[in-house]
Amino acid sequence: MAARIFITRKMEEQVVAPLREKFDVRMWDSESEKAPRDVLLREVVEADALWSVTADSIDQEVLMAAPKLKIVSNMAVGYNNIDLEVAKERGIIVTNTPDVLTNTTADLAFGLLIATARRLMEAEDTLRKGQWTSWSPMGYTGMDVGGAKLGIIGMGRIGEAVARRAKGFDMRVLYHNRSRKPEAEAAYGFEYAELDALLKEVDFVVILAPLTPETKGMIGERELGLMKKTAVLINVARGGIVDETALYHALKEGQIWAAGLDVFEKEPVPLDNPLLTLPNVTVLPHIGSATIKTRLGMMELSAQAILDTLEGREPKNRIV
């Protein structure tokens, strides 16, 4: 009997087709809506491989319900949606899809930074609503990006890619990371800083750290209070890293100038989230890796990891 694969989202058939030739592939029929919990729990019972996305909670209950499961192939760089301890205990391989989305996500991060700094979404919305009646000396004025100080929290592959882009804007780049990056410092002039010092000094803070027990809530009321009143916070990592209640009050009370968010604690973000009421917040629906080339590349990595595992080869990008 052929090994069974369950895919939690509708993926491009050109990537899935090679798997269908060798395995029993079952795939949820929606691209935009995740498989319901009861469907996921039912499907994993017979699954040898699970192809998941970041919105799927692959927790203890799911993993314990899957006696045949050999691999969880997660179509994302992050893997905070998977219980790695349980996977390791049960001998289940977990893989992710790094590298292929590095430049794409860095582009989005820098684009969101510029859009937030220059109030692009607010200005466009005003124009579309017919509320732009005349040029005015201080109309839609924002913050300069060129020559400003950028602070990056989480200097991994994407962090370094954002920092390289910043050098093209003549920005001074400070970073905070679990470990220093002497090669990047020497090659590009990036400067290491402790978190508090970075928050106090820079004009833009870009969060690119993974969500872990150590980083959860790391940007809260105290940290936001260290930032300049003219500072901009950009988060393209994971929503749980920033205390959203504290961020709302900091923005509403003018403790910081603006924020650009591609991620939220709860996704899809509820429309009653107070952050959506603020004019100085630019929001996006978690599209950091959303280009055609990159998403297809991520799918191919996920599919290849499953193929390798089920055919007895060591998959690339193994986490556990």
mmCIF file of all heavy atoms in Angstrom, residues 77 79 96 98-103 105-106 109 151-165 173-185 188 190 192 206-210 215 236-237 241:
data_model
loop_
_atom_site.group_PDB
_atom_site.id
_atom_site.type_symbol
_atom_site.label_atom_id
_atom_site.label_comp_id
_atom_site.label_asym_id
_atom_site.label_seq_id
_atom_site.Cartn_x
_atom_site.Cartn_y
_atom_site.Cartn_z
ATOM 1 N N VAL A 77 9.494 29.420 7.344
ATOM 2 C CA VAL A 77 10.791 29.422 8.031
ATOM 3 C C VAL A 77 10.570 29.112 9.501
ATOM 4 O O VAL A 77 11.252 28.288 10.101
ATOM 5 C CB VAL A 77 11.507 30.781 7.874
ATOM 6 C CG1 VAL A 77 12.750 30.822 8.753
ATOM 7 C CG2 VAL A 77 11.904 31.000 6.429
ATOM 8 N N TYR A 79 8.682 27.709 12.951
ATOM 9 C CA TYR A 79 8.067 26.415 13.272
ATOM 10 C C TYR A 79 7.499 26.423 14.683
ATOM 11 O O TYR A 79 7.376 25.387 15.329
ATOM 12 C CB TYR A 79 9.084 25.277 13.108
ATOM 13 C CG TYR A 79 10.480 25.612 13.572
ATOM 14 C CD1 TYR A 79 10.832 25.515 14.916
ATOM 15 C CD2 TYR A 79 11.440 26.061 12.666
ATOM 16 C CE1 TYR A 79 12.113 25.836 15.339
ATOM 17 C CE2 TYR A 79 12.713 26.390 13.081
ATOM 18 C CZ TYR A 79 13.054 26.265 14.420
ATOM 19 O OH TYR A 79 14.320 26.593 14.838
ATOM 20 N N ASN A 96 11.592 22.661 7.578
ATOM 21 C CA ASN A 96 11.040 23.972 7.221
ATOM 22 C C ASN A 96 11.562 24.394 5.858
ATOM 23 O O ASN A 96 12.192 23.586 5.153
ATOM 24 C CB ASN A 96 11.358 25.010 8.308
ATOM 25 C CG ASN A 96 12.843 25.317 8.421
ATOM 26 O OD1 ASN A 96 13.697 24.563 7.943
ATOM 27 N ND2 ASN A 96 13.170 26.418 9.093
ATOM 28 N N PRO A 98 13.657 27.406 4.694
ATOM 29 C CA PRO A 98 14.437 28.639 4.767
ATOM 30 C C PRO A 98 15.087 28.987 3.428
ATOM 31 O O PRO A 98 14.882 28.293 2.423
ATOM 32 C CB PRO A 98 15.507 28.302 5.810
ATOM 33 C CG PRO A 98 15.740 26.835 5.596
ATOM 34 C CD PRO A 98 14.390 26.258 5.236
ATOM 35 N N ASP A 99 15.886 30.059 3.445
ATOM 36 C CA ASP A 99 16.712 30.483 2.303
ATOM 37 C C ASP A 99 15.913 30.987 1.107
ATOM 38 O O ASP A 99 16.114 32.110 0.653
ATOM 39 C CB ASP A 99 17.654 29.363 1.838
ATOM 40 C CG ASP A 99 18.633 28.962 2.927
ATOM 41 O OD1 ASP A 99 19.044 29.828 3.715
ATOM 42 O OD2 ASP A 99 18.954 27.765 3.013
ATOM 43 N N VAL A 100 14.992 30.167 0.587
ATOM 44 C CA VAL A 100 14.292 30.527 -0.639
ATOM 45 C C VAL A 100 13.488 31.812 -0.481
ATOM 46 O O VAL A 100 13.246 32.527 -1.458
ATOM 47 C CB VAL A 100 13.395 29.354 -1.102
ATOM 48 C CG1 VAL A 100 12.249 29.121 -0.146
ATOM 49 C CG2 VAL A 100 12.882 29.584 -2.509
ATOM 50 N N LEU A 101 13.082 32.145 0.735
ATOM 51 C CA LEU A 101 12.263 33.346 0.933
ATOM 52 C C LEU A 101 13.032 34.518 1.542
ATOM 53 O O LEU A 101 12.445 35.550 1.852
ATOM 54 C CB LEU A 101 11.041 33.016 1.792
ATOM 55 C CG LEU A 101 11.227 32.303 3.133
ATOM 56 C CD1 LEU A 101 11.967 33.083 4.158
ATOM 57 C CD2 LEU A 101 9.876 31.845 3.653
ATOM 58 N N THR A 102 14.338 34.382 1.683
ATOM 59 C CA THR A 102 15.123 35.412 2.360
ATOM 60 C C THR A 102 14.974 36.778 1.705
ATOM 61 O O THR A 102 14.591 37.765 2.347
ATOM 62 C CB THR A 102 16.605 35.011 2.416
ATOM 63 O OG1 THR A 102 16.740 33.829 3.218
ATOM 64 C CG2 THR A 102 17.452 36.129 3.013
ATOM 65 N N ASN A 103 15.286 36.866 0.418
ATOM 66 C CA ASN A 103 15.252 38.162 -0.252
ATOM 67 C C ASN A 103 13.837 38.686 -0.428
ATOM 68 O O ASN A 103 13.591 39.892 -0.328
ATOM 69 C CB ASN A 103 15.965 38.068 -1.606
ATOM 70 C CG ASN A 103 17.473 38.032 -1.444
ATOM 71 O OD1 ASN A 103 18.050 38.814 -0.699
ATOM 72 N ND2 ASN A 103 18.121 37.111 -2.132
ATOM 73 N N THR A 105 11.263 38.213 1.601
ATOM 74 C CA THR A 105 10.808 38.753 2.879
ATOM 75 C C THR A 105 11.544 40.040 3.223
ATOM 76 O O THR A 105 10.948 40.974 3.771
ATOM 77 C CB THR A 105 10.982 37.711 3.992
ATOM 78 O OG1 THR A 105 10.333 36.496 3.601
ATOM 79 C CG2 THR A 105 10.385 38.200 5.303
ATOM 80 N N ALA A 106 12.813 40.104 2.891
ATOM 81 C CA ALA A 106 13.571 41.335 3.130
ATOM 82 C C ALA A 106 13.005 42.490 2.305
ATOM 83 O O ALA A 106 12.916 43.625 2.790
ATOM 84 C CB ALA A 106 15.048 41.118 2.809
ATOM 85 N N ALA A 109 9.863 43.607 4.061
ATOM 86 C CA ALA A 109 10.172 44.321 5.298
ATOM 87 C C ALA A 109 10.585 45.752 5.007
ATOM 88 O O ALA A 109 10.125 46.697 5.659
ATOM 89 C CB ALA A 109 11.278 43.595 6.066
ATOM 90 N N GLY A 151 17.542 49.712 13.487
ATOM 91 C CA GLY A 151 17.860 48.656 14.448
ATOM 92 C C GLY A 151 17.155 47.375 14.069
ATOM 93 O O GLY A 151 15.934 47.366 13.868
ATOM 94 N N ILE A 152 17.886 46.290 13.951
ATOM 95 C CA ILE A 152 17.328 44.999 13.575
ATOM 96 C C ILE A 152 17.412 44.054 14.768
ATOM 97 O O ILE A 152 18.492 43.855 15.331
ATOM 98 C CB ILE A 152 18.067 44.401 12.366
ATOM 99 C CG1 ILE A 152 17.860 45.288 11.140
ATOM 100 C CG2 ILE A 152 17.589 42.971 12.083
ATOM 101 C CD1 ILE A 152 18.639 44.850 9.919
ATOM 102 N N ILE A 153 16.285 43.494 15.138
ATOM 103 C CA ILE A 153 16.237 42.508 16.216
ATOM 104 C C ILE A 153 16.066 41.137 15.582
ATOM 105 O O ILE A 153 15.023 40.818 15.029
ATOM 106 C CB ILE A 153 15.078 42.802 17.186
ATOM 107 C CG1 ILE A 153 15.246 44.183 17.809
ATOM 108 C CG2 ILE A 153 14.993 41.732 18.265
ATOM 109 C CD1 ILE A 153 14.073 44.621 18.668
ATOM 110 N N GLY A 154 17.140 40.349 15.621
ATOM 111 C CA GLY A 154 17.143 39.045 14.963
ATOM 112 C C GLY A 154 17.925 39.113 13.667
ATOM 113 O O GLY A 154 17.357 39.342 12.603
ATOM 114 N N MET A 155 19.243 38.909 13.768
ATOM 115 C CA MET A 155 20.118 39.077 12.598
ATOM 116 C C MET A 155 20.426 37.725 11.957
ATOM 117 O O MET A 155 21.568 37.283 11.909
ATOM 118 C CB MET A 155 21.398 39.791 13.013
ATOM 119 C CG MET A 155 22.191 40.371 11.858
ATOM 120 S SD MET A 155 21.276 41.653 11.008
ATOM 121 C CE MET A 155 22.609 42.756 10.526
ATOM 122 N N GLY A 156 19.372 37.059 11.482
ATOM 123 C CA GLY A 156 19.553 35.837 10.713
ATOM 124 C C GLY A 156 19.702 36.178 9.241
ATOM 125 O O GLY A 156 20.103 37.287 8.877
ATOM 126 N N ARG A 157 19.346 35.226 8.389
ATOM 127 C CA ARG A 157 19.482 35.457 6.950
ATOM 128 C C ARG A 157 18.658 36.653 6.487
ATOM 129 O O ARG A 157 19.136 37.496 5.725
ATOM 130 C CB ARG A 157 19.031 34.206 6.179
ATOM 131 C CG ARG A 157 19.827 32.944 6.455
ATOM 132 C CD ARG A 157 19.245 31.798 5.633
ATOM 133 N NE ARG A 157 19.878 30.518 5.900
ATOM 134 C CZ ARG A 157 19.456 29.648 6.814
ATOM 135 N NH1 ARG A 157 18.394 29.957 7.552
ATOM 136 N NH2 ARG A 157 20.064 28.504 6.992
ATOM 137 N N ILE A 158 17.410 36.709 6.943
ATOM 138 C CA ILE A 158 16.546 37.808 6.508
ATOM 139 C C ILE A 158 17.022 39.125 7.108
ATOM 140 O O ILE A 158 17.025 40.163 6.436
ATOM 141 C CB ILE A 158 15.078 37.521 6.883
ATOM 142 C CG1 ILE A 158 14.593 36.244 6.198
ATOM 143 C CG2 ILE A 158 14.179 38.690 6.489
ATOM 144 C CD1 ILE A 158 13.229 35.767 6.663
ATOM 145 N N GLY A 159 17.441 39.095 8.352
ATOM 146 C CA GLY A 159 17.960 40.306 8.990
ATOM 147 C C GLY A 159 19.145 40.883 8.241
ATOM 148 O O GLY A 159 19.232 42.094 8.011
ATOM 149 N N GLU A 160 20.061 40.012 7.847
ATOM 150 C CA GLU A 160 21.226 40.483 7.093
ATOM 151 C C GLU A 160 20.803 41.042 5.735
ATOM 152 O O GLU A 160 21.363 42.039 5.261
ATOM 153 C CB GLU A 160 22.236 39.354 6.911
ATOM 154 C CG GLU A 160 22.993 39.004 8.182
ATOM 155 C CD GLU A 160 24.233 38.169 7.910
ATOM 156 O OE1 GLU A 160 24.829 38.325 6.822
ATOM 157 O OE2 GLU A 160 24.614 37.373 8.784
ATOM 158 N N ALA A 161 19.812 40.423 5.108
ATOM 159 C CA ALA A 161 19.335 40.912 3.808
ATOM 160 C C ALA A 161 18.687 42.286 3.948
ATOM 161 O O ALA A 161 18.870 43.169 3.091
ATOM 162 C CB ALA A 161 18.357 39.919 3.199
ATOM 163 N N VAL A 162 17.922 42.506 5.015
ATOM 164 C CA VAL A 162 17.339 43.826 5.263
ATOM 165 C C VAL A 162 18.445 44.846 5.519
ATOM 166 O O VAL A 162 18.407 45.972 5.011
ATOM 167 C CB VAL A 162 16.364 43.776 6.461
ATOM 168 C CG1 VAL A 162 15.932 45.189 6.870
ATOM 169 C CG2 VAL A 162 15.136 42.947 6.108
ATOM 170 N N ALA A 163 19.428 44.456 6.302
ATOM 171 C CA ALA A 163 20.529 45.362 6.631
ATOM 172 C C ALA A 163 21.309 45.774 5.385
ATOM 173 O O ALA A 163 21.722 46.936 5.251
ATOM 174 C CB ALA A 163 21.454 44.711 7.656
ATOM 175 N N ARG A 164 21.513 44.840 4.472
ATOM 176 C CA ARG A 164 22.215 45.179 3.226
ATOM 177 C C ARG A 164 21.411 46.180 2.407
ATOM 178 O O ARG A 164 21.976 47.105 1.806
ATOM 179 C CB ARG A 164 22.494 43.919 2.412
ATOM 180 C CG ARG A 164 23.535 43.000 3.030
ATOM 181 C CD ARG A 164 24.014 41.955 2.039
ATOM 182 N NE ARG A 164 22.943 41.084 1.566
ATOM 183 C CZ ARG A 164 22.574 39.956 2.160
ATOM 184 N NH1 ARG A 164 23.168 39.570 3.278
ATOM 185 N NH2 ARG A 164 21.610 39.210 1.646
ATOM 186 N N ARG A 165 20.100 46.020 2.380
ATOM 187 C CA ARG A 165 19.265 46.983 1.670
ATOM 188 C C ARG A 165 19.360 48.367 2.314
ATOM 189 O O ARG A 165 19.363 49.394 1.635
ATOM 190 C CB ARG A 165 17.817 46.482 1.648
ATOM 191 C CG ARG A 165 17.594 45.364 0.636
ATOM 192 C CD ARG A 165 16.396 44.499 0.986
ATOM 193 N NE ARG A 165 16.132 43.493 -0.056
ATOM 194 C CZ ARG A 165 16.872 42.399 -0.246
ATOM 195 N NH1 ARG A 165 17.919 42.166 0.523
ATOM 196 N NH2 ARG A 165 16.572 41.551 -1.213
ATOM 197 N N VAL A 173 23.302 50.885 10.585
ATOM 198 C CA VAL A 173 22.595 49.678 10.998
ATOM 199 C C VAL A 173 23.149 49.133 12.309
ATOM 200 O O VAL A 173 24.318 48.779 12.408
ATOM 201 C CB VAL A 173 22.684 48.588 9.916
ATOM 202 C CG1 VAL A 173 21.975 47.317 10.388
ATOM 203 C CG2 VAL A 173 22.072 49.084 8.609
ATOM 204 N N LEU A 174 22.286 49.085 13.316
ATOM 205 C CA LEU A 174 22.583 48.414 14.569
ATOM 206 C C LEU A 174 21.761 47.128 14.618
ATOM 207 O O LEU A 174 20.675 47.062 14.022
ATOM 208 C CB LEU A 174 22.221 49.287 15.768
ATOM 209 C CG LEU A 174 23.180 50.423 16.167
ATOM 210 C CD1 LEU A 174 23.221 51.506 15.091
ATOM 211 C CD2 LEU A 174 22.760 51.033 17.504
ATOM 212 N N TYR A 175 22.269 46.134 15.329
ATOM 213 C CA TYR A 175 21.491 44.899 15.427
ATOM 214 C C TYR A 175 21.657 44.269 16.799
ATOM 215 O O TYR A 175 22.648 44.477 17.500
ATOM 216 C CB TYR A 175 21.905 43.906 14.341
ATOM 217 C CG TYR A 175 23.232 43.206 14.576
ATOM 218 C CD1 TYR A 175 23.279 41.951 15.201
ATOM 219 C CD2 TYR A 175 24.438 43.786 14.187
ATOM 220 C CE1 TYR A 175 24.482 41.309 15.415
ATOM 221 C CE2 TYR A 175 25.650 43.146 14.398
ATOM 222 C CZ TYR A 175 25.667 41.911 15.023
ATOM 223 O OH TYR A 175 26.865 41.270 15.245
ATOM 224 N N HIS A 176 20.621 43.499 17.161
ATOM 225 C CA HIS A 176 20.683 42.711 18.390
ATOM 226 C C HIS A 176 20.342 41.278 18.031
ATOM 227 O O HIS A 176 19.376 41.014 17.308
ATOM 228 C CB HIS A 176 19.683 43.227 19.430
ATOM 229 C CG HIS A 176 19.681 42.427 20.696
ATOM 230 N ND1 HIS A 176 20.699 42.512 21.617
ATOM 231 C CD2 HIS A 176 18.804 41.502 21.169
ATOM 232 C CE1 HIS A 176 20.436 41.681 22.619
ATOM 233 N NE2 HIS A 176 19.303 41.056 22.370
ATOM 234 N N ASN A 177 21.148 40.345 18.514
ATOM 235 C CA ASN A 177 20.986 38.946 18.155
ATOM 236 C C ASN A 177 21.517 38.080 19.290
ATOM 237 O O ASN A 177 22.266 38.560 20.145
ATOM 238 C CB ASN A 177 21.775 38.658 16.864
ATOM 239 C CG ASN A 177 21.308 37.400 16.159
ATOM 240 O OD1 ASN A 177 20.131 37.266 15.858
ATOM 241 N ND2 ASN A 177 22.219 36.481 15.909
ATOM 242 N N ARG A 178 21.131 36.823 19.316
ATOM 243 C CA ARG A 178 21.647 35.922 20.348
ATOM 244 C C ARG A 178 23.165 35.809 20.275
ATOM 245 O O ARG A 178 23.837 35.656 21.289
ATOM 246 C CB ARG A 178 21.021 34.530 20.199
ATOM 247 C CG ARG A 178 19.587 34.451 20.678
ATOM 248 C CD ARG A 178 19.039 33.050 20.477
ATOM 249 N NE ARG A 178 19.037 32.664 19.073
ATOM 250 C CZ ARG A 178 18.635 31.481 18.623
ATOM 251 N NH1 ARG A 178 18.212 30.559 19.477
ATOM 252 N NH2 ARG A 178 18.644 31.207 17.334
ATOM 253 N N SER A 179 23.686 35.859 19.066
ATOM 254 C CA SER A 179 25.140 35.802 18.890
ATOM 255 C C SER A 179 25.562 36.890 17.915
ATOM 256 O O SER A 179 24.799 37.284 17.038
ATOM 257 C CB SER A 179 25.564 34.426 18.360
ATOM 258 O OG SER A 179 24.895 34.138 17.143
ATOM 259 N N ARG A 180 26.776 37.371 18.077
ATOM 260 C CA ARG A 180 27.276 38.420 17.193
ATOM 261 C C ARG A 180 27.621 37.851 15.826
ATOM 262 O O ARG A 180 27.884 36.658 15.663
ATOM 263 C CB ARG A 180 28.479 39.114 17.815
ATOM 264 C CG ARG A 180 28.121 39.900 19.058
ATOM 265 C CD ARG A 180 29.268 40.756 19.560
ATOM 266 N NE ARG A 180 29.657 41.798 18.604
ATOM 267 C CZ ARG A 180 30.405 42.855 18.917
ATOM 268 N NH1 ARG A 180 30.822 43.012 20.175
ATOM 269 N NH2 ARG A 180 30.719 43.745 18.009
ATOM 270 N N LYS A 181 27.646 38.733 14.830
ATOM 271 C CA LYS A 181 27.964 38.345 13.456
ATOM 272 C C LYS A 181 29.201 39.128 13.001
ATOM 273 O O LYS A 181 29.103 40.117 12.275
ATOM 274 C CB LYS A 181 26.781 38.650 12.529
ATOM 275 C CG LYS A 181 25.490 37.896 12.878
ATOM 276 C CD LYS A 181 25.671 36.408 12.658
ATOM 277 C CE LYS A 181 24.389 35.632 12.884
ATOM 278 N NZ LYS A 181 23.445 35.741 11.765
ATOM 279 N N PRO A 182 30.393 38.696 13.448
ATOM 280 C CA PRO A 182 31.607 39.465 13.138
ATOM 281 C C PRO A 182 31.884 39.609 11.647
ATOM 282 O O PRO A 182 32.399 40.630 11.201
ATOM 283 C CB PRO A 182 32.721 38.676 13.852
ATOM 284 C CG PRO A 182 32.142 37.325 14.136
ATOM 285 C CD PRO A 182 30.677 37.530 14.304
ATOM 286 N N GLU A 183 31.531 38.565 10.859
ATOM 287 C CA GLU A 183 31.777 38.658 9.414
ATOM 288 C C GLU A 183 30.923 39.764 8.792
ATOM 289 O O GLU A 183 31.404 40.550 7.969
ATOM 290 C CB GLU A 183 31.471 37.320 8.733
ATOM 291 C CG GLU A 183 32.358 36.179 9.164
ATOM 292 C CD GLU A 183 31.839 35.463 10.396
ATOM 293 O OE1 GLU A 183 30.793 35.904 10.949
ATOM 294 O OE2 GLU A 183 32.484 34.481 10.822
ATOM 295 N N ALA A 184 29.649 39.823 9.194
ATOM 296 C CA ALA A 184 28.760 40.865 8.670
ATOM 297 C C ALA A 184 29.188 42.241 9.161
ATOM 298 O O ALA A 184 29.109 43.227 8.419
ATOM 299 C CB ALA A 184 27.319 40.583 9.092
ATOM 300 N N GLU A 185 29.644 42.311 10.396
ATOM 301 C CA GLU A 185 30.135 43.586 10.925
ATOM 302 C C GLU A 185 31.324 44.079 10.107
ATOM 303 O O GLU A 185 31.400 45.257 9.745
ATOM 304 C CB GLU A 185 30.527 43.428 12.396
ATOM 305 C CG GLU A 185 29.356 43.178 13.328
ATOM 306 C CD GLU A 185 29.806 42.945 14.759
ATOM 307 O OE1 GLU A 185 30.937 43.356 15.110
ATOM 308 O OE2 GLU A 185 29.044 42.352 15.545
ATOM 309 N N TYR A 188 30.109 44.811 6.208
ATOM 310 C CA TYR A 188 29.127 45.855 5.921
ATOM 311 C C TYR A 188 29.098 46.996 6.937
ATOM 312 O O TYR A 188 28.378 47.981 6.734
ATOM 313 C CB TYR A 188 27.727 45.237 5.841
ATOM 314 C CG TYR A 188 27.597 44.168 4.791
ATOM 315 C CD1 TYR A 188 27.552 42.819 5.157
ATOM 316 C CD2 TYR A 188 27.532 44.487 3.439
ATOM 317 C CE1 TYR A 188 27.433 41.819 4.194
ATOM 318 C CE2 TYR A 188 27.408 43.500 2.469
ATOM 319 C CZ TYR A 188 27.362 42.163 2.851
ATOM 320 O OH TYR A 188 27.254 41.194 1.903
ATOM 321 N N PHE A 190 27.912 46.747 10.036
ATOM 322 C CA PHE A 190 26.816 46.617 10.987
ATOM 323 C C PHE A 190 27.383 46.655 12.401
ATOM 324 O O PHE A 190 28.479 46.167 12.659
ATOM 325 C CB PHE A 190 26.050 45.305 10.784
ATOM 326 C CG PHE A 190 25.553 45.077 9.377
ATOM 327 C CD1 PHE A 190 25.355 43.797 8.892
ATOM 328 C CD2 PHE A 190 25.269 46.150 8.537
ATOM 329 C CE1 PHE A 190 24.893 43.577 7.603
ATOM 330 C CE2 PHE A 190 24.807 45.945 7.252
ATOM 331 C CZ PHE A 190 24.628 44.654 6.772
ATOM 332 N N TYR A 192 26.830 45.804 16.534
ATOM 333 C CA TYR A 192 26.073 45.067 17.541
ATOM 334 C C TYR A 192 25.702 45.997 18.688
ATOM 335 O O TYR A 192 26.488 46.871 19.071
ATOM 336 C CB TYR A 192 26.897 43.893 18.086
ATOM 337 C CG TYR A 192 26.184 43.151 19.191
ATOM 338 C CD1 TYR A 192 25.222 42.191 18.895
ATOM 339 C CD2 TYR A 192 26.445 43.440 20.524
ATOM 340 C CE1 TYR A 192 24.539 41.527 19.894
ATOM 341 C CE2 TYR A 192 25.769 42.775 21.543
ATOM 342 C CZ TYR A 192 24.822 41.819 21.218
ATOM 343 O OH TYR A 192 24.144 41.179 22.222
ATOM 344 N N VAL A 206 13.203 47.009 13.294
ATOM 345 C CA VAL A 206 12.618 45.935 12.493
ATOM 346 C C VAL A 206 12.810 44.618 13.242
ATOM 347 O O VAL A 206 13.937 44.231 13.550
ATOM 348 C CB VAL A 206 13.255 45.844 11.093
ATOM 349 C CG1 VAL A 206 12.657 44.674 10.309
ATOM 350 C CG2 VAL A 206 13.050 47.138 10.323
ATOM 351 N N ILE A 207 11.704 43.946 13.515
ATOM 352 C CA ILE A 207 11.757 42.678 14.245
ATOM 353 C C ILE A 207 11.774 41.523 13.259
ATOM 354 O O ILE A 207 10.885 41.382 12.426
ATOM 355 C CB ILE A 207 10.549 42.539 15.191
ATOM 356 C CG1 ILE A 207 10.538 43.695 16.194
ATOM 357 C CG2 ILE A 207 10.583 41.199 15.922
ATOM 358 C CD1 ILE A 207 9.290 43.759 17.038
ATOM 359 N N LEU A 208 12.823 40.703 13.372
ATOM 360 C CA LEU A 208 12.985 39.550 12.482
ATOM 361 C C LEU A 208 13.401 38.312 13.261
ATOM 362 O O LEU A 208 13.928 37.357 12.691
ATOM 363 C CB LEU A 208 14.028 39.872 11.402
ATOM 364 C CG LEU A 208 13.554 40.898 10.361
ATOM 365 C CD1 LEU A 208 14.710 41.520 9.627
ATOM 366 C CD2 LEU A 208 12.595 40.240 9.385
ATOM 367 N N ALA A 209 13.162 38.305 14.555
ATOM 368 C CA ALA A 209 13.525 37.169 15.397
ATOM 369 C C ALA A 209 12.455 36.080 15.320
ATOM 370 O O ALA A 209 11.289 36.364 15.057
ATOM 371 C CB ALA A 209 13.695 37.635 16.844
ATOM 372 N N PRO A 210 12.829 34.835 15.584
ATOM 373 C CA PRO A 210 11.815 33.774 15.666
ATOM 374 C C PRO A 210 11.025 33.905 16.955
ATOM 375 O O PRO A 210 11.493 34.494 17.931
ATOM 376 C CB PRO A 210 12.659 32.491 15.660
ATOM 377 C CG PRO A 210 13.971 32.909 16.255
ATOM 378 C CD PRO A 210 14.199 34.321 15.782
ATOM 379 N N THR A 215 11.658 35.000 23.240
ATOM 380 C CA THR A 215 11.294 36.224 22.514
ATOM 381 C C THR A 215 9.821 36.597 22.649
ATOM 382 O O THR A 215 9.436 37.704 22.285
ATOM 383 C CB THR A 215 11.619 36.097 21.011
ATOM 384 O OG1 THR A 215 10.840 35.027 20.447
ATOM 385 C CG2 THR A 215 13.101 35.824 20.790
ATOM 386 N N VAL A 236 7.792 41.916 10.985
ATOM 387 C CA VAL A 236 7.510 40.956 9.914
ATOM 388 C C VAL A 236 7.921 39.559 10.355
ATOM 389 O O VAL A 236 8.129 38.678 9.523
ATOM 390 C CB VAL A 236 8.227 41.335 8.598
ATOM 391 C CG1 VAL A 236 7.639 42.592 7.994
ATOM 392 C CG2 VAL A 236 9.718 41.536 8.827
ATOM 393 N N ALA A 237 8.023 39.344 11.662
ATOM 394 C CA ALA A 237 8.467 38.057 12.201
ATOM 395 C C ALA A 237 7.273 37.239 12.663
ATOM 396 O O ALA A 237 6.682 36.483 11.890
ATOM 397 C CB ALA A 237 9.468 38.289 13.333
ATOM 398 N N ILE A 241 5.742 38.281 19.470
ATOM 399 C CA ILE A 241 6.956 38.931 19.963
ATOM 400 C C ILE A 241 6.641 40.307 20.535
ATOM 401 O O ILE A 241 7.317 40.791 21.450
ATOM 402 C CB ILE A 241 8.006 39.034 18.833
ATOM 403 C CG1 ILE A 241 8.421 37.624 18.389
ATOM 404 C CG2 ILE A 241 9.228 39.843 19.265
ATOM 405 C CD1 ILE A 241 9.306 37.594 17.160
#
